[in-house]
Amino acid sequence: METTIIILLLVVIALAGAPLFAMIGAIGLLLFNAAGTDTAAMIAELYRLVDLPALIAIPLFTFAGYLLAESQAPKRLINLAQSLFGWMPGGLAIVALFSTAIFTAFSGASGVTIIALGGLIYPALIKQNYPDKFSLGLMTTSGSLGLLFPPSLPIILYSIIAGVNIDKLFLAGLLPGILLLLILSLYSVRTGMKANVARTRFVWNGVWASLREAAWEAPLPVIVIGGIYGGIFTATEAAAVTAFYVLIVEVFVRREIKFFGDLPGVIRESMILVGAILVMLGAAMGVTSYVIDAQIPMKLFEFISQYVSSKFVFLIILNIFILVMNMVEIFSAIIIVVPLIVPVAMQYGVDPVHLGIIFLLNLEIGYMTPPLGLNLFLSSLRFGKPLTEVYRTVLPFFLLLFGVLLLVTYFPQLSLWLVGPLG
Amino acid sequence: MKILRTFDRALTSIVMALLVTAFAIMLGLAVVQVFLRGVFHTGLLWGDVAARHLVIWVGFFGAYLATRENKHFHIDILTRFLSQRLRLWFAAFSDLFAAVICSLLMRASLTYLTIGMDAESTLFLGIPQRTVAMIVPIGFGLIMVQFLLRMVECIIQAVRGPALEGEKA
């Protein structure tokens, strides 16, 4: 009875808009008190964060992403993509897909893509006679594309919490991410042909010019992915290299970010996101240790396995569950749900790396799932369209993404094939 | 009221300065380590430990600023549909709740530092572990103070609210 009242009370406080880290902290304090353990033990768990080698990748990659977003790099990225894909039917839509995916991977998928790139791409799509519904749906979807590509923040966070090697997870996301882009590109080509969108001619000189323009930033994905895949450095070292490289390029070479004028602001903005994630992670460390000590995942598995014996049925149910969770809030979903489901999924014989990709793809879809996905609100705000219209336009994209999710769920090889050779 | 705002601004400038400094050292250490490892196949023994601790420092300073700018993750399904004034009362309430939790976490951190940590143990360069770990209670303390400041601000605005609307009309 008492427990029910406390749970109800906490739900009410959370709905009143209390910060989630305080909610998690409150749950931890209650659990430790109930178990008769001093709450100092909770802080001991929080302090274990300093033992995680991958932790530093979070502030470094986030900083690099914010720095890139503040510079003119997004514009150069779009120009480069335009010169490469503009000649194809549906070319501009493909440009939108690729540039937003890369941008999201670097900017931490916190919704800035729609705000930053949407204003550049959406008017261009409309001007080129792409159907309004398609353009709006595409921009809403693009807000979270690229979540599967390194060095996106959700991948790093999942790897830290699930205890999975971050390098492996970076590789595992590549193929499913590319598959997703390909399928959406095909849909764009079809739409482009049906709408009879004018195409630009492919000009070698144009490609060369835009490539030279973006010469400093273009190697970045290659440095990050190639460096890790080639075993030159670890993901953590890649974070340091990326942050330093971007700092030198944007501040000293291009001088688009002023050292005294802009840099402190970029550090501030990026570390606000990092701080918000870290206090939540810190508060959750105590709760997680309690959950594991109390063998809750084991009990959860025993309960579920009474009803579900097949691995794939379990994964399908999991997909639906995560989708609903993610609509609420993405980073908290990772921090709260992952420690619970990883042990359960492993009992079903699901590889934690594969599970990570399923989880992250779910996040990607959760961002655009009506009625509460974050992208829907951002898109409605940014493009001045009513929410209900955004809901409708997003539907075909939602179905495509959901199809890819099913493929990724049923074919673990898609995620694990590249990881294999690295062992 | 003015005093509170001046205090808030002063405290925030200090935290901001500390954040930028800690971040710069963290980035510097991480880069030096990669460089030393890549070029000379060596590294500072204490470098990684120091950098990882600095992440916690940076994190707490960032969390303080997140509090000030209302950027902590929260659920706004319900509050989104409330009137401006009601929203302020809800915000004041959740700020109070968060401040109380932070104070409890700060107390727990102080206990952990005094009981859970060896007073003699040093981490690197002779710096005592307790000194480095002080950021945990200090961090929760800073966040608590900021939540209280925000709560006061929300209540004042909520009370003054109708007057403002009256002026518009």
Side-chain angles (χ1 to χ4, degrees), chain A residues 115-337:
Chain A
I115 306 289
L117 293 192
L120 297 172
I121 300 175
Y122 180 70
L125 283 168
I126 298 296
K127 212 172 124 197
Q128 283 205 9
N129 277 331
Y130 282 90
D132 200 23
K133 275 172 77 180
F134 170 82
S135 310
L136 190 61
L138 181 80
M139 289 323 296
T140 311
T141 310
S142 71
S144 56
L145 278 178
L147 219 99
L148 290 176
F149 294 123
S152 94
L153 200 50
I155 306 189
I156 303 174
L157 204 57
Y158 179 93
S159 94
I160 287 177
I161 293 168
V164 178
N165 183 313
I166 180 174
D167 301 358
K168 283 187 187 171
L169 212 57
F170 272 1
L171 290 174
L174 279 182
L175 280 185
I178 290 170
L179 177 71
L180 192 64
L181 279 184
L182 275 181
I183 288 179
L184 289 176
S185 296
L186 286 178
Y187 180 56
S188 303
V189 169
R190 207 193 74 136
T191 311
M193 281 163 79
K194 260 172 70 178
N196 238 333
V197 175
R199 303 187 216 165
T200 52
R201 267 186 44 232
F202 183 83
V203 195
W204 272 111
N205 285 342
V207 174
W208 181 239
S210 57
L211 198 61
R212 262 198 9 212
E213 208 187 305
W216 287 101
E217 287 97 354
L220 261 179
V222 185
I223 295 178
V224 174
I225 297 168
I228 296 168
Y229 196 47
I232 300 168
F233 37 62
T234 63
T236 319
E237 289 171 327
V241 172
T242 307
F244 186 63
Y245 179 84
V246 172
L247 177 74
I248 297 294
V249 167
E250 305 303 342
V251 177
F252 297 105
V253 180
R254 292 207 185 273
R255 300 193 185 164
E256 286 167 349
I257 307 281
K258 293 194 195 71
F259 189 82
F260 290 108
D262 305 326
L263 199 56
V266 175
I267 294 178
R268 175 200 171 95
E269 287 309 308
S270 53
M271 291 311 115
I272 282 179
L273 174 62
V274 170
I277 292 175
L278 280 187
V279 278
M280 204 158 62
L281 187 58
M285 292 291 280
V287 179
T288 304
S289 82
Y290 178 91
V291 162
I292 289 168
D293 280 351
Q295 301 200 315
I296 290 173
M298 208 49 224
K299 286 170 192 160
L300 200 62
F301 171 68
E302 276 163 19
F303 175 74
I304 301 173
S305 60
Q306 286 174 1
Y307 305 96
V308 179
S309 55
S310 144
K311 172 174 156 182
F312 289 114
V313 176
F314 165 74
L315 283 176
I316 296 292
I317 296 172
L318 190 66
N319 275 332
I320 295 167
F321 170 70
I322 304 173
L323 217 56
V324 175
M325 269 304 292
N326 287 344
M327 273 195 301
V328 178
E329 206 289 308
I330 292 97
F331 289 111
S332 10
I334 302 183
I335 288 173
I336 299 166
V337 179

Side-chain angles (χ1 to χ4, degrees), chain A residues 15-20 26 39 43-44 47 50 52 60 63 237 244 264 268-269 271-272 275 279-280 329 331 377, chain B residues 16 23 27 31 37 52-53 56 58-59 62-63 69 71 73-75 78-80 90 94 101 108-109 112 117 133:
Chain A
L15 286 176
L20 286 167
T39 47
I43 305 300
Y47 200 69
V50 299
L52 299 171
L60 292 180
F63 168 71
E237 289 171 327
F244 186 63
R268 175 200 171 95
E269 287 309 308
M271 291 311 115
I272 282 179
V279 278
M280 204 158 62
E329 206 289 308
F331 289 111
F377 291 97
Chain B
M16 182 63 196
F23 180 84
L27 175 60
V31 172
R37 221 168 280 146
R52 287 209 299 269
H53 277 84
I56 307 290
V58 166
E69 299 190 5
K71 294 240 175 90
F73 296 104
H74 63 277
I75 300 169
L78 197 73
T79 48
R80 200 179 277 160
F90 268 92
S94 63
I101 299 300
S109 327
Y112 173 62
M117 273 186 179

Side-chain angles (χ1 to χ4, degrees), chain B residues 56-115:
Chain B
I56 307 290
W57 282 68
V58 166
F60 270 110
F61 294 142
Y64 166 87
L65 293 172
T67 311
R68 192 163 184 268
E69 299 190 5
N70 197 19
K71 294 240 175 90
H72 279 296
F73 296 104
H74 63 277
I75 300 169
D76 59 354
I77 305 171
L78 197 73
T79 48
R80 200 179 277 160
F81 302 106
L82 296 176
S83 75
Q84 177 68 21
R85 201 165 162 219
L86 213 54
R87 214 184 296 165
L88 283 166
W89 283 113
F90 268 92
F93 168 73
S94 63
D95 287 345
L96 177 66
F97 171 78
V100 171
I101 299 300
C102 285
S103 75
L104 292 172
L105 291 173
M106 181 175 76
R107 218 188 54 186
S109 327
L110 286 171
T111 315
Y112 173 62
L113 253 68
T114 41
I115 300 172

